[in-house]
Amino acid sequence: MSDRHRLLVRGRTFVAVGAGGDISGVGGARGGGTGPDGLFVRDARHLSRWQLTVDGAVPELLAPVGTSSAASDTARCVLVPRGGRQEPPAYTLLREQAVADGAFVESLRIVSNRPVATRVRIALTVDADFTDQFELRADHRTYAKPGAVRTRRALDGEDGVRGVEFGYRRGEWRARTTVTADPAPDAVEETGGGARRLVWTLELDAHDTVEVALRAAASPHGEAESRPPDSPAEAVRQLDALREDLWSGFTLISGWPALADVCARGIADLAVLRVPATGPDGEALSVPGAGVPWFLTLRGRDAALTSLFALPYVPRLAAATLPALAATQATQAVRGAVAQPGKIVHEVRHGELAHFGQVPFGRYYGSVDATPLFLVLLGAYTEQAGDTALARRLEPAARAAVGWMLDHGGLTSRGYLVYRADRGGLAHQNWKDSPGAICSADGSEASGPVMAAGAQGYAYDALCRTAWLARTVWDDPVYADLLAQAAADLRDRFQRDFWMPGQNFPALALDGEGHQVDALASDAGHLLWSGLLDKEYGEAVGRRLLEPDFFSGWGVRTVAAGQPAFHPLSYHRGSVWPHDNALITLGLARYGLHDEARTVARGLVEAATATDGRLPEVLAGYDKGAYPVPVPYPHACALESKSAAAPLALLTAVSGA
């Protein structure tokens, strides 16, 4: 998000407002450096304007309260009418805003600064354009919307107009936003465009205070309108209840106070990032949404990794994520969605463009690693939580996932999990999924089918854990032996084909011809987490990741500096990702490199401490010695579930040291 925005999040709903509390309707392209402002629910913008004027002019911002781009519970600011030194402002305006499930609420207080009666004319211009989030991203595409109709109508109350309703329809698609106020506006005016202006003329006695309560309620397609809370304070109480619910039964014990603080912030963020999902039997679930502003939805890889990081402390996330992923598992091949039987979903979208098939992400399966990570999570959850009932319930889904890895995934035919660029979807389908992310040291891109190193580690771990489930829970020793042998064979092949003796390091990937893609990349640390490498190889990799070209002081870079492929502001070719480093830290601890694990953990904790206790999605890859505070990556998600859960993984790693 841009530093000009204040971000409020509650599950599937978020709002981004300016420092003065306004929504301008300016769309933010992902490549343009700013996120979109507005109220968003289920991938659609339900408020595109929310602009306050006082006596016909935009008031002057005296003070935003709280941080700008970081997510918080409320957005507060202090405003005054514009003027000069000769005459102090006649009144002060205090705005407090909060978000609830499908709703946005504001308390506007007008305080008279005069010893005589004062009249103030307040106007709020509001609009809802119902733009799909994919239209606000920098993909340079336009989307036809034949037959789309927008409507506006005043809402009548007992004493006159009480607000306005904005509607949108396109074929069977319907959406609505309702804006109401207490006291009701004196009038709702047309503006010459789609927006409407709510107007009040307020009479204030000497040093009097008047409050206007404003509420916007969204009704996404197929859902009833949400009931907004009565006030921002009530919305905050609802958020506190969500956090208390997630914290229930959890005690954080750490001899490292700074790490404990970062963990506490992470769990608080995870509570508000949970989004609704449905299980195999239609049961309602609450699972980690990937991130704000662009990915507040179920994504297979993100939900699995977040749940794995949190598993020792908050196992209920895994208990919800597993059936949600099983419920969305592919049962047949769907070409445009990259779906194949047994494959775990990459992303689920609920917006208009997904509904009409104009983007492929309604249920999109362009991920080579979500499927093995589902199996890793199922095995880890069963072992750590002792809950064999879920493993029994999801046995058919787990066997189908293994079947996908062996068949469509490529383990049997190619020896490795393999993916191909998806035209219209993702070019790369491992965690480094941006164009050009899988590259050689000279920066040249991998061609043809790609076999990414990290995904092979996940596949190995998935086979091992599922073999354990087959032996101990499903009572199928024959299947267990088959999977154990497949895992051993994969380990032998990998160390033969991926290891680069000259670098004493594994390749980032193999290309379609089986040639090594030789960039030195952080994915090697994922192999430590998965246990794919022999001890000697693993120790060499772990120590190499702590050398200065890799380790920035804040964390391990995605690509080591000094290679032509490196760029400190590239999304996947030189930046520092907290979740990537969490996996690396767990891997270092697994191979007995406890000093190295603590070094990486310390860098991340210091980075979080320098950024209000919260780890962002990604940091720039600049060296800590060159600049003493972490440099933000300009297009990062302001709030992201994997990064929120990463401190819990650090705690696990260093606690075992």
Side-chain angles (χ1 to χ4, degrees):
M1 297 298 297
S2 164
D3 284 341
R4 296 188 295 272
H5 288 140
R6 321 278 298 285
L7 185 65
L8 308 171
V9 185
R10 161 74 189 272
R12 61 182 187 161
T13 305
F14 77 91
V15 66
V17 299
D22 280 352
I23 294 168
S24 67
V26 177
R30 187 171 177 81
T34 62
D37 67 350
L39 170 67
F40 290 84
V41 185
R42 287 172 66 88
D43 299 330
R45 183 157 62 181
H46 279 261
L47 274 182
S48 53
R49 287 186 72 183
W50 187 270
Q51 294 177 300
L52 179 70
T53 58
V54 184
D55 293 333
V58 176
E60 181 179 358
L61 175 65
L62 281 188
V65 182
T67 55
S68 57
S69 60
S72 58
D73 289 353
T74 58
R76 297 187 182 95
C77 63
V78 180
L79 306 165
V80 293
R82 294 185 181 276
R85 294 185 179 181
Q86 301 305 317
E87 185 177 358
Y91 42 82
T92 305
L93 299 101
L94 299 96
R95 302 183 83 173
E96 182 177 10
Q97 300 164 322
V99 72
D101 185 19
F104 172 61
V105 292
E106 174 173 338
S107 172
L108 174 62
R109 293 175 59 214
I110 304 97
V111 181
S112 171
N113 300 322
R114 288 179 170 176
V116 297
T118 303
R119 174 177 291 178
V120 182
R121 188 175 189 268
I122 303 292
L124 184 72
T125 302
V126 296
D127 198 5
D129 62 6
F130 301 100
T131 300
D132 192 289
Q133 273 196 283
F134 283 93
E135 297 178 83
L136 298 172
R137 295 170 65 171
D139 58 5
H140 307 293
R141 302 178 191 178
T142 57
Y143 300 93
K145 295 186 173 183
V149 176
R150 289 178 60 194
T151 60
R152 304 99 181 155
R153 71 179 184 92
L155 296 173
D156 295 329
E158 294 180 1
D159 300 320
V161 177
R162 64 183 179 90
V164 61
E165 177 188 276
F166 299 93
Y168 179 83
R169 68 177 185 272
R170 175 186 168 196
E172 74 274 14
W173 183 269
R174 299 284 191 277
R176 187 174 71 251
T177 301
T178 301
V179 177
T180 56
D182 183 16
D186 300 324
V188 175
E189 302 175 346
E190 296 191 11
T191 63
R196 294 294 186 266
R197 185 181 297 114
L198 283 62
V199 180
W200 296 260
T201 300
L202 304 173
E203 304 286 348
L204 281 76
D205 293 333
H207 299 295
D208 194 11
T209 297
V210 174
E211 183 169 331
V212 178
L214 302 162
R215 303 178 186 90
S219 177
H221 175 68
E223 294 193 11
E225 183 175 284
S226 300
R227 182 188 180 279
D230 293 332
S231 65
E234 176 59 30
V236 171
R237 283 192 288 272
Q238 292 177 6
L239 290 172
D240 288 341
L242 281 177
R243 295 192 177 104
E244 187 175 339
D245 175 63
L246 189 63
W247 275 90
S248 177
F250 169 61
T251 303
L252 185 64
I253 300 174
S254 173
W256 188 349
L259 175 56
D261 290 344
V262 177
C263 287
R265 169 58 73 90
I267 291 178
D269 288 343
L270 287 175
V272 300
L273 278 170
R274 288 180 293 173
V275 298
T278 303
D281 298 323
E283 69 272 24
L285 301 167
S286 184
V287 301
V292 180
W294 301 110
F295 305 109
L296 196 54
T297 188
L298 173 64
R299 299 181 100 209
R301 177 192 306 121
D302 297 72
L305 286 173
T306 298
S307 299
L308 278 161
F309 292 163
L311 180 57
Y313 314 99
V314 193
R316 62 190 303 179
L317 290 179
T321 294
L322 286 163
L325 294 180
T328 52
Q329 185 177 37
T331 57
Q332 60 184 354
V334 181
R335 185 178 180 85
V338 203
Q340 296 153 337
K343 201 173 187 184
I344 294 297
V345 75
H346 169 65
E347 184 170 348
V348 178
R349 289 289 183 173
H350 305 281
E352 174 189 357
L353 298 182
H355 176 82
F356 286 105
Q358 292 174 277
V359 295
F361 302 107
R363 278 196 185 181
Y364 182 66
Y365 293 83
S367 167
V368 74
D369 51 12
T371 306
L373 286 171
F374 166 75
L375 293 167
V376 171
L377 180 60
L378 180 61
Y381 171 77
T382 305
E383 181 179 6
Q384 294 188 36
D387 180 5
T388 59
L390 187 58
R392 291 191 182 94
R393 181 189 179 198
L394 299 184
E395 180 181 354
R399 288 179 181 263
V402 171
W404 176 83
M405 290 200 305
L406 294 174
D407 185 8
H408 297 286
L411 278 183
T412 299
S413 60
R414 298 296 296 261
Y416 300 106
L417 291 184
V418 60
Y419 66 84
R420 295 163 179 80
D422 174 33
R423 191 177 236 178
L426 294 173
H428 290 293
Q429 296 169 29
N430 67 324
W431 84 267
K432 289 179 175 175
D433 58 3
S434 59
I438 305 301
C439 62
S440 297
D442 63 8
S444 59
E445 297 182 29
S447 61
V450 173
M451 291 156 275
Q456 315 316 319
Y458 306 158
Y460 170 78
D461 197 11
L463 291 168
C464 292
R465 290 184 184 274
T466 311
W468 175 80
L469 287 173
R471 198 177 308 279
T472 61
V473 179
W474 303 336
D475 193 24
D476 191 344
V478 173
Y479 189 54
D481 290 343
L482 172 68
L483 299 185
Q485 186 60 54
D489 292 344
L490 174 58
R491 183 183 178 117
D492 291 341
R493 280 195 306 274
F494 183 91
Q495 296 187 153
R496 179 193 69 210
D497 296 339
F498 276 76
W499 193 256
M500 301 184 294
Q503 300 282 5
N504 203 31
F505 204 78
L508 173 58
L510 302 180
D511 66 14
E513 302 299 320
H515 299 145
Q516 292 178 342
V517 180
D518 64 353
L520 301 182
S522 62
D523 303 59
H526 298 213
L527 306 176
L528 306 184
W529 175 64
S530 300
L532 182 60
L533 299 177
D534 288 343
K535 183 174 178 58
E536 179 183 353
Y537 287 175
E539 291 176 350
V541 166
R543 294 191 175 99
R544 180 68 181 84
L545 290 171
L546 269 293
E547 292 185 17
D549 57 345
F550 261 122
F551 187 65
S552 73
W554 306 114
V556 176
R557 299 180 176 99
T558 46
V559 168
Q563 303 173 94
F566 171 78
H567 190 303
L569 288 173
S570 170
Y571 199 47
H572 288 122
R573 284 168 55 163
S575 54
V576 173
W577 286 65
H579 97 272
D580 182 30
N581 277 264
L583 291 170
I584 291 168
T585 306
L586 289 168
L588 291 168
R590 177 171 185 162
Y591 278 77
L593 301 173
H594 300 300
D595 290 342
E596 289 83 354
R598 187 167 285 273
T599 296
V600 177
R602 186 179 301 111
L604 287 176
V605 170
E606 290 175 358
T609 302
T611 53
D612 297 320
R614 175 183 283 125
L615 287 168
E617 175 191 22
V618 54
L619 295 166
Y622 294 111
D623 191 83
K624 183 180 180 181
Y627 198 70
V629 296
V631 178
Y633 177 81
H635 315 299
C637 282
L639 194 60
E640 203 237 16
S641 61
K642 299 193 307 297
S643 292
L648 299 173
L650 302 181
L651 179 60
T652 299
V654 301
S655 295

